[in-house]
């Protein structure tokens, strides 16, 4: 971490303090200091109390640029992490952009769900309660964009696989898998960086008056591993008595599209994808590997509208396993609805927002209200809460984790 | 010299559009002028496009406390459409956020608008329907900053007055279609320069709501530009000033300067 810090500071000093060395370079340093504090609703236990220093450095010439974003997390006066969120260099051409390095690549039109937005993995260490810019992880690779007017064609090559970050052991967001027998869980193995293990994505997009449209495809490693049975003991007359599980990352293909179109006062959005060879956990006694490989379709239809000074967004999402088999634990089709209402008051110095997501089949939901005050001078203060409804399912499993949070941020 | 079409120079444009109304004529040198003609002349007054500028918007509350927002913008006019990108330079918490607006000459066709939020790293199409909504918390509404064709209102010259030392027509403009943001507006149009210098906006109940004043004008490359304006909300006693600086006009700007690439890369 020291090395990272010194590199960053040295680079900043060179660019900012000695501009004569780089006469054609424009440089800019920006960042934020954020304090986050959260308590659980049922017993008042503090489960977030941290400061985050975010430093961004941009340096640019007419045809090239460098961007670095460094984040330090501090808990109890101790730096618990310090890493680059992004670090890349790029080159602007008349009809292309080329960018190489650690970068976040976010695609799609959906809010809060990830259908074609599968390039950058998720940081789920605090589930979906993290700040929006902390929720995504950069990937190390190269991106080449071609432009012709409003047409854009992107190619992404990622030789180094980066998985999603799951909650650490002991975290209130950790959910232990339910197995009926003693379990030995092995550490997941990360695919080695190689040409063969590279991930590839491509997207065509066009932005126009009639509509905005995107068509994408990818051949990538699923960002979360599938629990794979490596060994099991079956005692005659007793049945299954022990299991050895290896979480395995696996290849997935995806083809997807997304668009948004104005319809009078409403903006309609839609996004869909077909995933090939996706793996779904199943009944251990019926499936020797513990999972079944199937194709799946995931789509979203949504609308945004301004009404009485507020912005409303609603989304309908359906996730369907094709050629479904009963040995798969998950249901064949999952339906989810989301809703968000935002409104600003007092000349945009106060913003209120409420976001909700509801799984129809399992009847569980998450609701996140928040109020943010912008007093000026770069300060931002917010209070909010998250409530989990239901007893099982993606959100219901966190029924005990209802909480309140406060956040103070200073941007410079 | 190009015919003005764009939203560039929002404040100036607003004034000019505001002046584009009316009918009756009054006494004086221009007694043969009708309000319609005056407002059409104001609307058709030459305005430079394309252009880029830095915009400083200062929001001042009833206690005099100020909040400042700085933007850079570029705009240009193409056949049937005016295009503009505005990017926040300050304050730091919104730096890099950018809006793109395409405004159409075709009557009744809504603007297309997109926003780029750096934290989300995505361009999002947004509804342009809330034109009566405040522009970034200021006393200007989106509609105030847009182009309003004089044919959309009925104009009447109600008298003459002076703004500073300038003789002006006072022209009342009433929307032909009911249900808009304002029940009427009253504009002070300079007789010498055929440009709006002041405008009053009346709410749906007919009460005075806001007053727009031109604080500074400047001549550049043969164009008369309004470089500083103030909009005061007289009912809530707060106001917003808009000042334009580093104005560059008649640059060679292609339509490619108004694409998703430009929106995410920022105004250069």
């Amino acid at each position: 971490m020291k090395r990272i810090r010194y590199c960053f500071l040295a680079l900043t000093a060179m660019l900012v303090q000695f501009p004569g060395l780089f006469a054609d370079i424009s440089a800019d340093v920006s960042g934020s200091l954020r304090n986050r504090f959260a308590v659980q609703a049922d017993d008042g236990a503090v489960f977030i109390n941290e400061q985050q220093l975010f430093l961004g450095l941009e340096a640019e010439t007419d045809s090239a640029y460098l961007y670095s974003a460094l984040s330090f997390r501090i808990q109890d006066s101790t730096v618990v992490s310090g890493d680059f969120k992004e670090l890349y260099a790029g080159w602007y051409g008349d009809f292309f952009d080329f960018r190489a390095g650690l970068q976040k690549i976010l695609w799609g039109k959906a809010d809060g769900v990830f259908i074609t937005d599968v390039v950058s993995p998720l940081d789920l260490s605090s589930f979906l309660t993290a700040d929006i810019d902390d929720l995504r992880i950069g990937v190390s690779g190269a991106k080449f964009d071609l432009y012709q007017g409003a047409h854009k064609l992107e190619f992404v090559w990622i030789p180094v696989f980066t998985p999603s970050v799951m909650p650490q052991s002991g975290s209130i967001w950790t959910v232990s898998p339910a197995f009926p027998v003693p379990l030995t869980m092995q550490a997941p193995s990360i695919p080695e960086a190689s040409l063969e293990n590279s991930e590839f994505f491509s997207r065509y997009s066009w932005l126009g008056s009639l509509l905005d449209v995107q068509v994408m495809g990818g051949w990538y490693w699923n960002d979360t591993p599938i629990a794979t049975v490596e060994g099991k003991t079956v005692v005659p007359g007793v049945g299954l008595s022990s299991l050895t599980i290896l979480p395995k990352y696996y290849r997935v293909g995806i083809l997807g599209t997304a668009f948004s179109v104005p319809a009078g006062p409403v903006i309609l959005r839609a996004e869909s994808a077909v995933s090939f060879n996706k793996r779904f956990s199943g009944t251990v006694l019926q499936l020797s590997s513990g999972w079944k490989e199937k194709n799946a379709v995931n789509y979203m239809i949504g609308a945004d509208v301004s009404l009485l000074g507020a912005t409303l967004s609603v989304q309908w999402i359906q996730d369907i396993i094709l050629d479904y088999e009963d040995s798969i634990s998950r249901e064949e089709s999952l339906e989810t609805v989301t809703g968000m209402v935002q409104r600003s008051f007092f000349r945009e110095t106060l913003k209120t927002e409420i976001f909700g997501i509801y799984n129809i089949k399992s009847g569980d939901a998450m609701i996140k209200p928040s109020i943010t005050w912008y007093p000026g001078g770069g300060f931002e203060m917010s209070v909010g809460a998250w409530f989990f409804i239901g007893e099982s399912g993606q959100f219901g499993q966190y029924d005990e984790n209802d909480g309140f949070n406060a956040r103070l941020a200073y941007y410079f | 010299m190009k015919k003005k079409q764009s939203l560039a120079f929002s404040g100036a444009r607003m004034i000019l559009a505001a002046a584009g109304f009316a009918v009756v004529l009054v006494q004086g040198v221009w007694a043969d002028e009708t309000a319609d003609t005056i407002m059409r002349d104001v609307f058709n007054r030459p305005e430079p496009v394309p252009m880029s500028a830095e915009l400083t918007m200062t929001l001042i509350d009833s206690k005099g406390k100020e909040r400042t927002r700085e933007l850079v913008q570029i705009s240009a006019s193409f056949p049937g459409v005016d295009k503009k990108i505005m990017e926040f330079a300050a304050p730091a918490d919104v730096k890099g956020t950018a809006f793109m607006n395409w405004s159409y000459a075709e009557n009744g066709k809504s603007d297309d608008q997109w926003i780029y939020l750096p934290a989300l790293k995505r361009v999002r199409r947004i509804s342009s329907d809330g034109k009566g909504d405040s522009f970034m918390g200021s006393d200007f509404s989106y509609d105030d900053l847009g182009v309003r064709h004089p044919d959309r209102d009925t104009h009447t010259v109600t008298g003459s007055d002076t703004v500073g030392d300038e003789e002006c027509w006072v022209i009342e403009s009433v929307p032909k279609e009911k249900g808009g943001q304002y029940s009427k507006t009253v504009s002070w149009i300079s007789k010498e320069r055929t440009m709006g210098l002041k405008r009053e906006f009346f709410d749906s109940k007919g009460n005075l709501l806001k007053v727009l004043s031109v604080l500074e004008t400047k001549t550049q490359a043969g164009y008369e530009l309004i470089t500083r304006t103030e909009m005061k909300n007289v009912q809530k006693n707060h106001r917003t000033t808009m000042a334009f600086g580093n104005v560059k006009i008649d640059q060679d700007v292609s339509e490619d300067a108004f694409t998703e690439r430009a929106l995410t890369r920022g105004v250069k």
Side-chain angles (χ1 to χ4, degrees):
Chain A
M1 195 169 64
K2 275 185 179 175
R3 194 168 52 187
I4 291 173
R5 193 184 310 160
Y6 291 147
C7 286
F8 181 84
L9 292 175
L11 198 56
T12 305
M14 285 169 70
L15 293 170
V16 177
Q17 300 299 323
F18 305 105
L21 294 174
F22 306 91
D24 297 330
I25 295 179
S26 62
D28 185 37
V29 179
S30 59
S32 63
L33 179 62
R34 304 179 214 174
N35 291 269
R36 293 181 74 216
F37 181 81
V39 295
Q40 283 186 264
D42 56 352
D43 59 4
V46 175
F47 67 98
I48 298 175
N49 182 16
E50 69 168 28
Q51 293 76 48
Q52 182 184 21
L53 177 63
F54 181 89
L55 287 171
L57 167 68
E58 267 180 291
E60 190 173 20
T61 68
D62 283 344
S63 59
Y65 59 95
L66 169 75
Y67 178 71
S68 70
L70 189 57
S71 168
F72 294 98
R73 284 184 181 279
I74 299 132
Q75 291 174 353
D76 300 326
S77 309
T78 305
V79 179
V80 292
S81 71
D83 49 13
F84 281 106
K85 296 297 181 187
E86 293 187 275
L87 177 62
Y88 55 77
W91 180 23
Y92 294 125
D94 287 341
F95 302 105
F96 70 88
D97 290 344
F98 176 73
R99 175 188 291 182
L102 180 66
Q103 54 194 301
K104 292 181 185 178
I105 299 171
L106 310 183
W107 288 353
K109 300 285 182 190
D111 292 333
V113 289
F114 309 94
I115 298 172
T116 63
D117 190 10
V118 293
V119 183
S120 282
L122 295 165
D123 182 347
L124 295 170
S125 52
S126 53
F127 193 50
L128 297 175
T129 59
D131 286 350
I132 188 76
D133 48 351
D134 286 334
L135 196 59
R136 306 308 291 271
I137 302 169
V139 288
S140 294
K143 186 165 178 280
F144 184 70
D145 303 340
L146 281 168
Y147 298 93
Q148 178 61 52
H151 302 275
K152 180 180 180 184
L153 186 59
E154 297 161 86
F155 299 97
V156 178
W157 171 52
I158 304 170
V160 183
F161 170 63
T162 305
S164 286
V165 173
M166 306 310 286
Q168 289 184 335
S169 174
S171 161
I172 63 168
W173 306 107
T174 301
V175 177
S176 301
F179 284 97
V181 293
L183 181 72
T184 304
M185 184 70 80
Q186 298 179 337
S189 60
I190 306 290
E192 288 180 7
S194 70
L195 191 59
E196 187 185 1
N197 283 339
S198 294
E199 296 180 295
F200 301 95
F201 297 91
S202 184
R203 179 175 73 155
Y204 163 79
S205 56
W206 179 76
L207 181 149
S209 178
L210 275 180
L211 81 166
D212 306 342
V213 65
Q214 304 174 358
V215 180
M216 62 80 68
W219 175 240
Y220 66 106
W221 292 94
N222 202 59
D223 292 337
T224 53
I226 184 80
T228 303
V229 176
E230 285 289 293
K232 58 185 169 188
T233 309
V234 179
V235 178
V238 177
L240 186 67
S241 61
S242 71
L243 269 177
T244 302
I245 296 291
L246 172 65
K248 273 189 176 174
Y249 294 97
Y250 61 99
R251 285 284 196 178
V252 184
I254 187 170
L255 282 176
T257 184
F259 72 84
S260 61
V261 57
V266 180
I267 301 295
L268 298 175
R269 292 180 285 118
E271 186 171 342
S272 65
V274 183
S275 296
F276 302 97
N277 303 326
K278 206 167 169 68
R279 294 178 186 177
F280 297 92
S281 293
T283 312
V284 175
L285 290 174
Q286 292 181 33
L287 303 171
S288 59
S289 60
W291 47 261
K292 196 78 183 174
E293 204 165 73
K294 293 289 177 185
N295 298 336
V297 172
N298 197 358
Y299 71 89
M300 176 281 299
I301 298 170
D304 307 325
V305 64
S306 292
L307 199 65
L308 301 172
T311 303
L312 293 93
S313 296
V314 291
Q315 297 182 132
W316 161 269
I317 302 113
Q318 189 171 23
D319 186 359
I320 307 164
I321 300 173
L322 303 179
D323 189 25
Y324 184 77
E325 292 180 30
D326 290 338
S327 57
I328 296 172
S329 303
R330 210 201 82 175
E331 297 203 48
E332 182 177 5
S333 171
L334 299 176
E335 292 84 27
T336 305
V337 290
T338 73
M340 184 169 68
V341 182
Q342 286 180 327
R343 178 153 190 193
S344 292
F345 299 90
F346 309 119
R347 307 175 97 194
E348 295 189 3
T349 53
L350 191 74
K351 187 178 89 172
T352 57
E353 179 182 304
I354 183 163
F355 173 78
I357 180 165
Y358 174 62
N359 288 323
I360 293 173
K361 283 257 170 64
S362 49
D364 63 321
M366 177 177 73
I367 298 170
K368 285 174 69 178
S370 68
I371 298 174
T372 306
W373 179 41
Y374 304 92
F379 284 96
E380 183 183 305
M381 287 172 240
S382 68
V383 291
W386 45 76
F387 302 108
F388 297 95
I389 296 163
E391 293 179 353
S392 61
Q394 185 187 12
F395 304 111
Q397 64 185 341
Y398 296 124
D399 189 34
E400 305 292 314
N401 289 1
D402 291 350
F404 301 98
N405 64 85
R407 184 175 174 277
L408 172 64
Y410 172 68
Y411 293 86
F412 55 91
Chain B
M1 192 184 292
K2 301 173 182 74
K3 188 176 170 179
K4 69 174 189 292
Q5 285 290 332
S6 78
L7 299 181
F9 240 24
S10 307
R13 182 68 198 187
M14 170 183 54
I15 295 274
L16 298 168
F21 309 81
V23 182
V24 182
L25 40 125
V26 234
Q27 70 246 25
V29 186
W30 299 86
D32 58 340
E33 288 275 8
T34 68
D36 276 337
T37 307
I38 296 166
M39 298 310 262
R40 210 164 281 129
D41 287 348
V42 173
F43 182 77
N44 291 323
R45 216 170 63 87
E47 185 178 309
V49 280
M51 69 186 303
S52 64
E54 293 169 3
L55 165 63
T56 302
M57 196 166 73
T58 307
L59 284 65
I60 304 152
D61 69 15
S62 56
K63 293 173 184 169
K65 189 183 173 192
E66 296 186 358
R67 281 191 298 145
T68 301
R69 294 182 168 189
E70 293 170 18
L71 301 100
V72 287
Q73 65 175 53
I74 183 168
S75 61
S77 190
F78 305 97
V81 59
D82 299 332
K83 297 186 176 183
K84 176 163 76 169
I85 291 180
M86 302 174 79
E87 182 191 352
F88 280 94
D93 54 339
V94 291
K95 188 177 177 184
T97 299
F99 291 98
M100 181 161 69
N101 188 93
W102 295 358
S103 182
Y104 300 94
E106 184 184 333
N107 197 20
K109 184 170 168 61
S110 297
D111 291 3
D112 289 311
Q113 291 183 339
W114 295 265
I115 186 170
Y116 172 70
L117 296 167
L120 299 181
K121 293 186 182 292
R122 289 204 303 202
V123 171
R124 185 178 183 125
R125 184 185 280 266
I126 54 174
S127 171
S128 62
D129 205 52
K131 288 202 157 191
D133 295 349
S134 162
F135 174 68
M136 300 178 340
S138 74
D139 293 290
F140 294 90
S141 70
Y142 285 91
D143 223 8
D144 295 337
L145 300 171
V147 181
R148 186 173 178 87
H149 197 281
D151 289 351
R152 294 178 64 189
D153 302 286
T154 301
H155 311 285
T156 310
V157 176
T158 59
S160 286
D161 195 3
T162 56
V163 174
D165 295 331
E166 287 194 58
E167 280 288 317
C168 294
W169 291 290
V170 181
I171 298 179
E172 183 180 285
S173 305
V174 178
K176 291 175 181 172
E177 283 185 23
K178 299 297 174 196
Q181 190 187 357
Y182 307 114
S183 58
K184 71 172 183 181
T185 58
V186 177
S187 305
W188 278 253
I189 309 297
S190 165
K191 294 180 179 179
E192 184 186 345
R193 296 191 283 171
T194 325
M195 68 189 299
L197 298 180
K198 180 183 168 187
R199 192 182 197 194
E200 293 178 345
F201 301 80
F202 293 79
D203 65 17
S204 55
K205 293 176 182 169
N207 299 318
L208 180 61
L209 175 63
K210 298 192 289 192
V211 178
L212 174 70
S213 305
V214 171
L215 303 180
E216 181 184 273
T217 63
K218 176 182 168 186
T219 303
Q220 183 173 336
Y223 298 101
E224 190 148 27
L225 308 173
I226 295 171
T227 50
R228 194 152 173 263
T229 62
E230 179 190 86
M231 179 74 94
K232 182 173 184 181
N233 185 318
V234 296
Q235 293 183 2
K236 294 183 176 173
N237 195 30
H238 48 58
R239 58 201 162 95
T240 302
T241 61
M242 273 193 186
F244 294 87
N246 196 19
V247 179
K248 296 172 186 167
I249 60 179
D250 283 353
Q251 303 168 92
D252 183 21
V253 177
S254 79
E255 214 156 351
D256 287 350
F258 302 92
T259 59
E260 182 182 355
R261 184 190 195 190
L263 193 60
T264 53
R265 189 180 166 187
V267 177
K268 302 296 171 193

